[in-house]
């Protein structure tokens, strides 16, 4: 049977990763963090010494950048070949090049094919897939499509709590500039036709997860 796909898009710091993972856990579904895959590819590009700004070199390396990702929400990991990069892909040096790599159309096509394969072969009844272009490109036919937003202030506040070693100003600027770069490639700030906007500005974490679960159980 084809799995129920729950597509979740949103900007950086919207809380979509932690919310999607917790919702998947509550629903007994799988969880696919597509941003982590863009990050894994970026880590592999840096590791191989390829200049991330030279799109042709990145594209030429694609098939050698093998990565795998855990889709069980209770057992999340990211590997590049046999290296566990679950933590390393969150480092600023990776975050600093990911938008450069994500803007290359061949990279997006290559990853989108991988995502669809992972979705098709999930052992769960459904899968929560989270990113920037899931509701529009990766799974536009998903029965549940959500744009998770929050005010810029709320997003900055949440993210600076995660990254305590950096000043709130630096965190804010890094987040804004990444969203600016990413927005030139995919629009994840406005809900496409048929996509439900869920604004979490005034919701706490548990309330946001409950709202996602509710949307899934009322729709499917
Ligand atoms: O979600 P996260 O912030 O980890 O995503 C990292 C980067 O991956 C984004 O800044 C964006 O450049 C890219 N991305 C994307 N399309 C997706 C998911 C992530 O371009 N579906």
């Amino acid at each position: 049977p084809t799995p129920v796909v729950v597509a979740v898009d949103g900007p950086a710091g919207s809380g979509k990763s932690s919310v999607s993972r917790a919702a998947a856990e509550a629903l007994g579904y799988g969880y696919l963090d597509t941003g982590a895959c863009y990050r894994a590819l970026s880590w592999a590009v840096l590791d191989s010494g390829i200049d991330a700004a030279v799109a042709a070199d990145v594209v030429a390396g694609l098939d050698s950048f093998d990565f795998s990702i855990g889709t069980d929400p209770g057992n999340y990991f990211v590997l590049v070949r046999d290296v566990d990069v679950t933590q390393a892909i969150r480092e600023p040096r990776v975050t600093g090049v990911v938008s450069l790599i994500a803007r290359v159309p061949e990279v997006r096509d290559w990853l989108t094919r991988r995502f669809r394969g992972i979705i098709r072969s999930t052992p769960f009844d459904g899968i929560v897939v989270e990113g920037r272009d899931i509701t529009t490109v990766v799974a536009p036919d998903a029965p549940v499509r959500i744009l998770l937003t929050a005010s810029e202030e709320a997003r900055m506040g949440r993210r600076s709590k995660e990254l305590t070693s950096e000043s709130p100003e630096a965190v804010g600027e890094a987040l804004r500039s990444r969203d600016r770069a990413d927005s030139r490639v995919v629009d994840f700030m406005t809900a496409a036709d048929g996509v439900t906007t869920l604004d979490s500005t005034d919701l706490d974490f548990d309330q946001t997860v409950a709202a996602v679960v509710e949307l899934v159980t009322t729709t499917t």
Side-chain angles (χ1 to χ4, degrees), residues 47-134:
D47 183 62
S48 66
I50 288 171
D51 184 347
V54 182
D57 292 353
V58 173
V59 172
L62 277 178
D63 287 319
S64 65
F65 299 146
D66 201 31
F67 73 89
S68 54
I69 185 161
T71 57
D72 177 345
N75 179 29
Y76 176 82
F77 62 86
V78 187
L79 300 179
V80 172
R81 292 179 289 275
D82 53 354
V83 187
D84 188 326
V85 297
T86 313
Q87 309 298 326
I89 58 171
R90 307 288 156 191
E91 287 169 8
R93 66 184 190 101
V94 175
T95 308
V97 298
V98 68
S99 299
L100 271 179
I101 287 168
R103 74 179 184 194
V104 180
E106 292 90 339
V107 168
R108 304 199 69 80
D109 290 345
W110 188 84
L111 277 174
T112 296
R113 278 197 299 276
R114 293 285 304 266
F115 298 152
R116 291 182 181 146
I118 293 170
I119 292 167
R120 262 196 310 275
S121 58
T122 187
F124 299 94
D125 295 336
I127 184 162
V128 182
V129 188
E130 163 256 308
R132 302 287 189 292
D133 63 345
I134 313 307

Side-chain angles (χ1 to χ4, degrees), residues 17 29 32 38-39 42 56 68 83 109 124 196 201 209:
S17 296
Y29 284 4
L32 176 58
Y38 279 93
R39 289 169 178 276
S42 305
S68 54
V83 187
D109 290 345
F124 299 94
T196 304
T201 307
V209 174

Side-chain angles (χ1 to χ4, degrees), residues 148-185:
L148 189 60
T149 61
S151 70
E152 186 170 282
E153 201 188 349
R155 294 191 285 117
M156 305 297 155
R158 287 172 194 164
R159 188 50 65 95
S160 44
K161 263 188 230 151
E162 284 169 24
L163 301 168
T164 41
S165 62
E166 290 167 66
S167 74
E169 292 74 27
V171 170
E173 191 36 48
L175 221 61
R176 268 191 298 273
S177 80
R178 189 150 61 93
D179 276 344
R180 255 195 315 271
D182 290 338
S183 298
R184 285 185 211 114
V185 181

Side-chain angles (χ1 to χ4, degrees), residues 167-211:
S167 74
E169 292 74 27
V171 170
E173 191 36 48
L175 221 61
R176 268 191 298 273
S177 80
R178 189 150 61 93
D179 276 344
R180 255 195 315 271
D182 290 338
S183 298
R184 285 185 211 114
V185 181
V186 275
D187 180 9
F188 49 84
M189 297 303 236
T190 47
D193 242 16
V195 174
T196 304
T197 300
L198 177 57
D199 186 340
S200 70
T201 307
D202 299 316
L203 301 179
D204 66 23
F205 179 76
D206 290 342
Q207 290 170 325
T208 312
V209 174

